[in-house]
Amino acid sequence: MLRRLVPRQPLRLFQWQAACARGASVQRRTWASTIPRPLGPWGAVGNSPPVCRRSSSTPASGPEVALTQERYPVKRLPFSTPSEADLAAFERIIPGRVVTDTEVLAASNVDWLRTVRGCSRVLLRPRTSEEVAHILRYCHERNLAVNPQGGNTGMVGGSVPVFDEIILSTALMNQVISFHSVSGTLVCQAGCILEELSQYVEARGFVMPLDLGAKGSCHIGGNVATNAGGLRFLRYGSLHGTVLGLEVVLADGTVLNCLSTLRKDNTGYDLKQLFIGSEGTLGVITAVSIQCPPKPQAVNVAFLGCPGFAEVLQTFSTCKGLLGEILSAYEFMDAECMWLVRHHLHLTSPVQESPFYVLIETSGSRAEHDAEKLNDFLEQALRSGLVTDGTVATDQMKLKALWALRERISEALSRDGYVYKYDLSLPTDTLYDLVTDLRARLGSQAKRVVGYGHLGDGNLHLNVTSEDFSRSLLDALEPYVYEWTAGQRGSVSAEHGLGFKKKDALHYSKPPAALRLMQQLKASWTPRAS
């Protein structure tokens, strides 16, 4: 059902993926434990001539992406280069699943945003954690660099090689191991696609605690490795709370089996927490145990127009007070975002044009109860002028249509040109100020500056587009965006992770003592990397 909201009093009408989150949704780069000590805990940079030749093969969509090593000042660390003997060894470990075809590798070398590109010549497709352990043990002994890759839907360039690292794909590690129908505990391999897991548990009366725009491609192992946030964070919290256990293969091939299904286990250090959000720098996640909440019996989505960002904030406050326990999502987008999804994706706005839009989802157990609470909230929001127009959906098809306006913004941006993406945590009161500030700062340098995100989590997705990559535009954005965020005591990465693009910005969000501790932790787990 889709119904239009009609205000009781005349109101002035005004004209807004993967990771997660899209959430950053792939496991980030890890190396066999022969890595020299990096400049920071997330990788090394420097200057050196390119070491790879350009491939004659390009991904099917769009022109060839510039090699990362040519666009950025990076230096290849002294790893070995895969040889014919190495390929033969891999073939013995995973017969028939060693890929060297250049056309297949072309897609795995480029991130989905088409902003970074490596030149790996080898793609490995293990099916089990034992095969992953054998591969990493061999690479450790041979000093070969490895790049784990899940669905390759990440936003920060961490899902693809920088140079010629061996790509370790989890795509064939896609089996559900177990599901407990009473507790809702799901145990599965890391390569399971999030949307397929959602369908599996929903058929059994539960939902995944995580939902992303990239759910049709991202892998649960990558979601955990990047601590992806997504659209259900407001209701169910972060993966630090819903992940019960992990199986991880360390850089030297050691299998760490902490695949617990217990809600409570207060025995020693909670080691799984070190790997949630570690982006593959400490090991490769091969299996996940996760707590799934019961499937809501009644779901409503309201899509509303607001006259200003102050009204977006006030609507959120009112929303929390009146909807309480049934509030499951509160998303916002600006008018530029709405133009993008309408222009590039031909989606239709269900409400009058407005400077801002909000999407509110409620999830509960009684349809009548939830509808009454939602109607009370909407009447007050309309009466007070916080909302100028809106619509409410209750059936599945209309729910998906409204969510598409929010979830497909990232896709629309990718069709607008080269995209500079920033995923920031900021105080909600000042969350949109950076967007306004950058529009004035960049002027005609940028094609478009837009803001949207998870307002309920204080998470701004700031995006800037230009026709092509521009070094001068990048210099105008960085480190300015990071300094501005640090000035608000925010985080330079709310849910996408650091990956390749933000690894040198970590100090804007963490003090020196924390950076040193991270380096010490990494050195203790991969001592030959120090």
Side-chain angles (χ1 to χ4, degrees), residues 17 22 65 110-116 152-157 159 410-411 413-414 417-421 463 496 501:
Q17 101 177 176
R22 299 170 83 96
V65 179
V110 179
D111 71 322
W112 88 274
L113 290 173
R114 301 184 58 77
T115 59
V116 288
N152 195 14
T153 59
M155 299 287 197
V156 286
S159 59
S410 191
E411 179 187 350
L413 280 160
S414 69
Y418 187 91
V419 189
Y420 305 81
K421 285 188 169 291
N463 288 255
H496 291 170
K501 294 181 180 178

Side-chain angles (χ1 to χ4, degrees), residues 459-511:
N459 184 182
L460 171 68
H461 293 315
L462 168 69
N463 288 255
V464 179
T465 64
S466 61
E467 292 296 342
D468 298 294
F469 174 78
S470 166
R471 172 56 61 177
S472 62
L473 179 53
L474 180 61
D475 290 342
L477 286 165
E478 300 176 15
Y480 181 81
V481 169
Y482 302 138
E483 290 172 345
W484 197 100
T485 301
Q488 299 291 319
R489 299 185 64 82
S491 170
V492 299
S493 180
E495 60 180 6
H496 291 170
L498 296 170
F500 169 77
K501 294 181 180 178
K502 294 184 181 179
K503 64 185 185 304
D504 298 321
L506 183 54
H507 67 279
Y508 289 104
S509 297
K510 292 291 186 290

Side-chain angles (χ1 to χ4, degrees), residues 91-127:
E91 187 63 33
R92 288 192 293 272
I93 297 172
I94 49 170
R97 287 171 281 136
V98 179
V99 179
T100 56
D101 181 87
T102 55
E103 291 187 5
V104 176
L105 283 164
S108 296
N109 270 304
V110 179
D111 71 322
W112 88 274
L113 290 173
R114 301 184 58 77
T115 59
V116 288
R117 179 167 72 95
C119 51
S120 175
R121 300 172 185 173
V122 185
L123 171 68
L124 305 179
R125 289 175 169 166
R127 285 198 178 100

